[in-house]
């Protein structure tokens, strides 16, 4: 019995200190809201980092909070779906649509129904295009060069540019 407990504690301690790996399951999901906060703080040195380093942010004070809404692509305006929910163009078939705020350019032009369309796979998270409605006219736009946000899986000391 003592040997089983000892092996259990050793196993827990070995697995507790591993670095995380970010995969597709860690990315935003369609139909969810996410929050991002900005903060200020004192009493820590951001240059102190490295493998198995534990950051202590107990002195942070939130200064701002944003909400990101990731919609189902099927909830985007129907005209956008011809480009980003179409099985005939699989490289542009988005898995989620990030809703962004409406924009009013001095009363001359209004931009509504603003979406950033992205696609997730086990190997990457990419941006495939945007959609906006300008003065009542929907304008979905496919990127001619699909932008890679993250190469997956993402591990400690991986680089992306």
């Amino acid at each position: 019995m003592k040997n089983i407990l000892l092996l259990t504690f050793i196993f827990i301690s070995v697995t507790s200190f591993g670095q995380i790996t970010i995969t597709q399951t860690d990315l935003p999901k369609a139909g969810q809201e996410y929050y991002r906060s900005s903060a200020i703080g004192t009493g820590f040195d951001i240059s102190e980092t490295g493998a198995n380093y534990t950051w202590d942010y107990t002195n942070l004070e939130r200064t701002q909070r944003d909400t990101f809404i990731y919609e189902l692509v099927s909830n985007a305006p129907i005209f956008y779906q011809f480009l980003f929910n179409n099985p005939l163009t699989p490289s542009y078939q988005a898995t989620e649509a990030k809703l962004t705020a409406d924009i009013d350019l001095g009363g001359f032009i209004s931009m509504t129904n603003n979406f950033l369309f992205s696609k997730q796979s086990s190997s990457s998270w990419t941006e495939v295009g945007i959609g906006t409605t300008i003065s009542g006219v929907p304008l979905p736009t496919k990127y001619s060069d699909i932008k890679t946000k993250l190469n997956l899986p993402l591990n400690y000391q991986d680089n992306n540019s």
Side-chain angles (χ1 to χ4, degrees), residues 87-150:
L88 299 176
T89 55
S91 57
Y92 288 95
Q93 191 172 12
T95 55
E96 68 273 343
K98 181 180 164 192
L99 180 63
T100 62
D102 291 348
I103 300 169
D104 182 18
L105 300 175
F108 296 104
I109 297 175
S110 64
M111 299 170 71
T112 59
N113 291 323
N114 301 311
F115 288 92
L116 172 64
F117 292 92
S118 52
K119 179 178 181 172
Q120 296 179 17
S121 72
S122 60
S123 62
S124 66
W125 187 22
T126 57
E127 291 179 12
V128 295
I130 59 172
T132 188
T133 300
I134 298 177
S135 300
V137 179
L139 297 171
T141 305
K142 287 184 191 178
Y143 291 156
S144 59
D145 184 23
I146 294 174
K147 298 169 178 26
T148 301
K149 293 198 250 189
L150 292 175

Side-chain angles (χ1 to χ4, degrees), residues 55-74:
W55 294 321
D56 179 8
Y57 293 120
T58 55
N59 294 328
L60 288 180
E61 183 178 321
R62 185 173 68 206
T63 58
Q64 182 179 347
R65 183 174 174 178
D66 297 330
T67 303
F68 295 106
I69 301 171
Y70 285 86
E71 293 282 354
L72 297 167
V73 178
S74 59

Side-chain angles (χ1 to χ4, degrees), residues 15-51:
T15 59
S16 307
F17 293 104
Q19 298 294 326
I20 66 167
T21 296
I22 296 173
T23 65
Q24 182 180 2
T25 60
D26 300 307
L27 298 178
K29 303 289 179 251
Q32 296 289 316
E33 289 185 11
Y34 296 90
Y35 303 102
R36 176 181 66 182
S37 295
S38 299
I40 58 172
T42 59
F44 60 91
D45 183 358
I46 61 171
S47 66
E48 294 178 11
T49 187

